[in-house]
Amino acid sequence: MSNGAVAPIGGPQPLDWKFSQVFGERTAGEEVQEVDIISAIEFDRTGDHLVTGDRGGRVVLFERADTRDNAGQRIDLEKMDYPMNRHPEFRYKTEFQSHEPEFDYLKSLEIEEKINKIRWCQSANGALFLLSSNDKTIKFWKVQEKQVKKVCDMNVDSTKAMGNGSIVGSSISTSSKQYIENGGCISSDFSFPTAGFPSLRLPVVTSSIETNLMARCRRIYAHAHDYHINSISNNSDGETFISADDLRINLWNLEISNQSFNIVDVKPANMEDLTEVITSAEFHPKHCNMLAYSSSKGSIRLIDMRQSALCDSHSKLFAEQVAPGTRSFFTEIIASISDIKFAKDGRHILSRDYMTLKLWDINMDSGPVATFQVHEHLRPKLCDLYENDSIFDKFECCLSGDGLRVATGSYSNLFRVFGCSDGSIEATTLEASKNPTRRQCQMPSRSLRSLGSLSGVVRRVKGADNSGVDANGNTFDFTTKLLHLAWHPTENSLACAASNSLYMYYA
């Protein structure tokens, strides 16, 4: 394709996004507490459950509302291969306190309770399992519905029984109690029948139809990281997971909490020689021996754990070369990758740096197959963003289940959805509010530029909104940023965390 050619007509049409629901919506002028701000969000592999973590160390679970109520109907529709018209709706399920603030006395370091990452594990026997992590400690949680048990068939009149079966009279004082063996006591107005009880019945514990959701911490994986944990990722084998900090990646077995194996260590002998740190890490979705991690220099390394016990040498390196003469003080800062995600098929890796989204083919390390400009209009403002530390914000990214679209957040509670299939010109800007298209403006067509033969083409996607203001002429608000979002694994549904509110959209 020649330089500046327009994408062919007839590609996939942009999705029409609609508001679905919101949890924790703020009223006008309401002040948000720091502990209520959402810091992690994740769908499970079925899409029937959604979990969020916040800066207060709490984990909140949501469940699909249209699955249990219409389970039979849904199965019938699937058998008929008939599309469901209903969009996914979720409802609050339960919440629990995952982490508490701690203090490391040896290092005189305060450890925040903020949840950095949450990952779902394989469910079993009707129970849900998940991993949650703060800066230093990872916890393995089991969430299960348990029937409420009650004690019945007591020997005494139920009107005089209270609590766990202790006998209570109409008027009991400390002086009127007669204590007997085994810690029992008899009130002054209670007397055994002269002929005794005709028969004694043992109390029976019965299960009622009521159920309570119980969250129990099964294991705690601690004392393995000297630096802040930035990633946790489950392996496809269902038995192991990795945790990554700035300089090391550790491999854990879910069943063993007192031992982990260090598989990547980039710490130099002299810390003055440190030039880059690990920013994100994720297991391959299908191959249990492969994982990828990104660095603050904008590179992604693919490693194979079969090569050696310590995987300091990578099998593939993905990096984009900076054009000569374009380097500046901010070049390395904005090149730092804040998040990486594997596509569902494991063929592609999506990465997010400060200015762009990049899509990489793991079979082609010459450069990204697509680059999406998220907020190019901020490039002239990099000095201001550096002064107020916004340039260090870590935005997450996500892919649709079919791999045809990618999404990430921006400032002013905006998020972007891009089409990444051949011929797609989709570049949608949405706002995390009940009217997501309120700030939407007409995007120019993105030009494509061929850099090689068809066997090794590297595609650069351009044409983002280059104005310094939004569609309404308002300047962007750097205090409201949409850092966390997740795409439903099987449907075009997005969950976005805007401060303490969870917004959901469908298309």
Side-chain angles (χ1 to χ4, degrees):
M1 189 178 289
S2 60
N3 220 9
V6 177
I9 299 174
Q13 293 300 310
L15 294 176
D16 181 20
W17 291 94
K18 298 181 178 65
F19 170 78
S20 174
Q21 55 192 140
V22 59
F23 296 95
E25 185 182 18
R26 280 185 296 166
T27 57
E30 180 185 355
E31 186 177 350
V32 178
Q33 299 297 319
E34 179 81 10
V35 294
D36 294 331
I37 296 176
I38 297 172
S39 57
I41 183 170
E42 185 85 1
F43 280 104
D44 71 348
R45 65 179 61 194
T46 65
D48 290 337
H49 293 91
L50 176 68
V51 63
T52 64
D54 62 27
R55 295 188 183 181
R58 291 166 302 204
V59 170
V60 183
L61 271 67
F62 301 89
E63 66 179 350
R64 185 91 175 243
D66 57 334
T67 302
R68 181 178 295 181
D69 298 339
N70 303 295
Q73 179 189 5
R74 188 181 182 200
I75 291 173
D76 293 339
L77 291 174
E78 287 174 350
K79 287 179 180 177
M80 295 167 55
D81 197 22
Y82 184 79
M84 291 186 66
N85 293 325
R86 294 189 57 169
H87 62 272
E89 294 180 3
F90 285 80
R91 62 186 169 206
Y92 170 86
K93 186 178 179 75
T94 188
E95 68 180 270
F96 56 90
Q97 188 72 30
S98 173
H99 288 72
E100 301 279 358
E102 302 174 46
F103 190 81
D104 188 334
Y105 294 98
L106 292 177
K107 297 181 179 179
S108 295
L109 183 69
E110 188 176 348
I111 302 171
E112 287 184 316
E113 66 270 36
K114 171 192 170 189
I115 303 296
N116 288 341
K117 294 290 178 181
I118 300 179
R119 290 292 180 266
W120 288 96
C121 302
Q122 291 181 354
S123 58
N125 300 325
L128 302 173
F129 296 89
L130 51 89
L131 291 166
S132 62
S133 170
N134 67 351
D135 285 339
K136 294 290 184 180
T137 306
I138 306 162
K139 294 186 179 182
F140 183 47
W141 291 91
K142 178 181 181 180
V143 182
Q144 188 176 30
E145 281 190 353
K146 291 201 170 184
Q147 289 184 316
V148 177
K149 297 186 182 297
K150 294 183 178 179
V151 179
C152 62
D153 283 353
M154 306 295 290
N155 280 291
V156 295
D157 186 358
S158 60
T159 60
K160 294 186 178 183
M162 184 179 74
N164 291 325
S166 58
I167 308 305
V168 181
S170 57
S171 60
I172 295 180
S173 65
T174 306
S175 60
S176 67
K177 292 181 180 178
Q178 297 176 354
Y179 292 92
I180 58 177
E181 294 181 10
N182 298 325
C185 66
I186 304 174
S187 64
S188 58
D189 62 345
F190 176 83
S191 60
F192 284 96
T194 54
F197 285 106
S199 64
L200 286 175
R201 299 188 305 274
L202 289 175
V204 178
V205 178
T206 60
S207 298
S208 67
I209 58 173
E210 298 177 39
T211 59
N212 278 344
L213 271 169
M214 302 289 292
R216 187 162 65 93
C217 183
R218 295 288 301 274
R219 285 175 194 86
I220 299 177
Y221 314 91
H223 312 302
H225 288 278
D226 292 329
Y227 305 93
H228 289 178
I229 297 171
N230 55 48
S231 302
I232 54 176
S233 178
N234 301 91
N235 199 345
S236 58
D237 62 10
E239 297 179 357
T240 56
F241 70 95
I242 55 171
S243 59
D245 63 22
D246 290 344
L247 299 179
R248 294 187 178 97
I249 299 177
N250 293 332
L251 177 68
W252 301 83
N253 188 300
L254 282 168
E255 301 295 325
I256 303 170
S257 59
N258 60 356
Q259 185 182 34
S260 65
F261 296 97
N262 178 226
I263 56 174
V264 174
D265 189 346
V266 300
K267 184 178 181 180
N270 184 356
M271 285 295 283
E272 292 181 358
D273 299 330
L274 183 67
T275 58
E276 63 180 332
V277 296
I278 298 168
T279 57
S280 183
E282 180 157 307
F283 261 120
H284 191 282
K286 293 187 176 180
H287 301 307
C288 62
N289 57 287
M290 294 177 63
L291 62 98
Y293 70 91
S294 59
S295 82
S296 57
K297 280 195 169 181
S299 61
I300 301 172
R301 290 172 173 85
L302 192 67
I303 63 175
D304 190 335
M305 293 191 294
R306 297 173 299 184
Q307 290 181 343
S308 64
L310 188 61
C311 305
D312 286 343
S313 59
H314 52 268
S315 56
K316 284 191 178 180
L317 174 67
F318 305 94
E320 188 172 25
Q321 300 301 318
V322 179
T326 60
R327 296 190 67 88
S328 69
F329 173 77
F330 304 109
T331 300
E332 196 165 300
I333 298 176
I334 64 175
S336 177
I337 295 174
S338 57
D339 189 28
I340 60 170
K341 291 285 194 321
F342 271 100
K344 198 173 183 179
D345 60 2
R347 174 68 184 268
H348 295 90
I349 299 174
L350 180 68
S351 68
R352 170 69 202 263
D353 56 43
Y354 188 68
M355 299 296 292
T356 64
L357 274 174
K358 291 186 175 74
L359 190 67
W360 307 79
D361 187 329
I362 64 171
N363 294 335
M364 190 179 73
D365 53 8
S366 59
V369 293
T371 299
F372 308 95
Q373 296 173 347
V374 179
H375 38 218
E376 190 64 20
H377 54 272
L378 297 182
R379 197 171 291 274
K381 300 181 174 64
L382 290 180
C383 279
D384 298 333
L385 294 165
Y386 179 78
E387 289 293 327
N388 61 23
D389 286 341
S390 294
I391 201 169
F392 302 107
D393 288 333
K394 300 185 182 303
F395 292 93
E396 293 180 0
C397 57
C398 59
L399 298 97
S400 60
D402 56 14
L404 297 179
R405 292 172 178 86
V406 296
T408 191
S410 182
Y411 293 103
S412 298
N413 282 343
L414 300 180
F415 61 100
R416 310 291 310 276
V417 178
F418 300 96
C420 52
S421 57
D422 290 338
S424 174
I425 58 170
E426 184 173 359
T428 308
T429 302
L430 301 161
E431 182 186 38
S433 67
K434 288 188 174 180
N435 183 12
T437 58
R438 183 170 67 92
R439 296 196 184 189
Q440 195 166 359
C441 56
Q442 187 66 35
M443 293 293 175
S445 299
R446 296 178 295 174
S447 60
L448 306 180
R449 181 161 56 98
S450 174
L451 296 180
S453 64
L454 292 176
S455 60
V457 68
V458 179
R459 190 157 60 95
R460 301 294 188 273
V461 183
K462 297 186 176 182
D465 179 18
N466 291 318
S467 62
V469 294
D470 64 18
N472 295 331
N474 302 317
T475 57
F476 277 80
D477 181 5
F478 299 120
T479 61
T480 56
K481 44 201 164 193
L482 201 149
L483 301 176
H484 312 285
L485 75 171
W487 201 302
H488 192 282
T490 58
E491 302 175 18
N492 286 322
S493 176
L494 274 168
C496 306
S499 188
N500 67 324
S501 303
L502 177 65
Y503 285 91
M504 306 198 68
Y505 304 93
Y506 71 98

